Amino acid sequence: KAGVTQTPRYLIKTRGQQVTLSCSPISGHRSVSWYQQTPGQGLQFLFEYFSETQRNKGNFPGRFSGRQFSNSRSEMNVSTLELGDSALYLCASSRGYSYNEQFFGPGTRLTVL
Amino acid sequence: KNEVEQSPQNLTAQEGEFITINCSYSVGISALHWLQQHPGGGIVSLFMLSSGKKKHGRLIATINIQEKHSSLHITASHPRDSAVYICAVRHLNSGGSNYKLTFGKGTLLTVNP
């Protein structure tokens, strides 16, 4: 069974631009969560989607948004990029909306210049 | 004060030594996760606990809900165990439904041959 895939793996953008990252969960998994990892703050929760609905949201500004499609694939968007948005963005999928084991993707490394 | 505290931050051991990494948290939780992250970013879920103790190979994880504390033990450590180990808690919000994951800062383990 294929693991969680994320595209692109690496991305370089400039301040003010916007970016869309994609996550394909493990087949059969209906929950997708997004996380940001930086050297200073570590891992931080962005949001969680289940059955196309956002179930939980972390403490990030409205520039960060996401959605989930009917096939459980998810995208996150960051608008008006800032230098501080440079980070590793990880998504994780789990079977259901509960305290299920999460399976992480390899991440997208975003650099904002 | 962070909601999830890990200790130690850094740990260096000789091959074969018994390793303990600690995690304390201050919020009500529905589950606690131990994650492993190797250089390059990939994260693997090691354990998910809500009570008691779990064992997988040379790894053992315990949790004491009353004391809000968990430990990850590695027996007969090996250089391939060198990685960052991260504790994460899934909050139990006031409504009783599962909520976001909050992460510790991680423990960098280096096992020398």
Side-chain angles (χ1 to χ4, degrees):
Chain A
K1 189 186 264 191
V4 178
T5 59
Q6 292 187 245
T7 56
R9 293 292 310 279
Y10 302 91
L11 203 49
I12 299 176
K13 292 284 188 179
T14 56
R15 278 181 301 174
Q17 288 187 306
Q18 76 164 16
V19 66
T20 298
L21 311 180
S22 180
C23 173
S24 292
I26 291 171
S27 178
H29 284 194
R30 298 171 63 192
S31 175
V32 172
S33 297
W34 287 91
Y35 303 94
Q36 181 197 65
Q37 187 177 35
T38 59
Q41 297 296 320
L43 274 161
Q44 293 182 281
F45 169 76
L46 279 158
F47 23 67
E48 178 177 15
Y49 287 88
F50 179 80
S51 293
E52 303 178 66
T53 302
Q54 187 180 91
R55 300 291 175 154
N56 293 306
K57 190 176 191 304
N59 299 323
F60 278 80
R63 299 185 296 108
F64 292 81
S65 63
R67 57 178 175 168
Q68 186 180 33
F69 302 96
S70 58
N71 62 357
S72 295
R73 189 177 70 85
S74 178
E75 289 181 346
M76 68 162 280
N77 184 78
V78 188
S79 61
T80 320
L81 284 166
E82 301 177 359
L83 295 179
D85 297 332
S86 295
L88 179 67
Y89 290 88
L90 293 149
C91 82
S93 75
S94 59
R95 190 168 299 279
Y97 177 63
S98 180
Y99 70 99
N100 282 260
E101 180 181 9
Q102 295 205 320
F103 295 83
F104 285 79
T108 294
R109 175 80 57 186
L110 171 65
T111 301
V112 182
L113 303 175
Chain B
K1 187 180 185 298
N2 293 330
E3 292 172 323
V4 182
E5 296 277 359
Q6 279 186 244
S7 62
Q9 282 187 295
N10 294 280
L11 183 55
T12 301
Q14 288 299 122
E15 183 173 357
E17 286 185 357
F18 181 84
I19 304 292
T20 295
I21 299 170
N22 295 299
C23 175
S24 296
Y25 54 93
S26 57
V27 295
I29 69 168
S30 61
L32 181 143
H33 300 251
W34 281 103
L35 310 171
Q36 180 193 57
Q37 186 172 31
H38 281 284
I43 292 179
V44 173
S45 177
L46 298 174
F47 294 103
M48 185 179 66
L49 296 162
S50 56
S51 64
K53 176 180 173 178
K54 286 190 176 181
K55 184 176 189 290
H56 185 254
R58 294 180 295 106
L59 302 178
I60 302 167
T62 64
I63 187 168
N64 185 318
I65 296 294
Q66 286 73 29
E67 295 186 4
K68 292 186 164 59
H69 181 269
S70 176
S71 293
L72 175 68
H73 306 286
I74 305 175
T75 62
S77 60
H78 190 276
R80 65 174 174 265
D81 297 326
S82 298
V84 175
Y85 292 84
I86 302 167
C87 168
V89 300
R90 184 171 284 274
H91 295 230
L92 188 63
N93 68 18
S94 58
S97 56
N98 295 303
Y99 195 54
K100 63 179 182 178
L101 273 178
T102 299
F103 299 86
K105 296 294 188 189
T107 295
L108 174 60
L109 172 64
T110 304
V111 182
N112 294 318

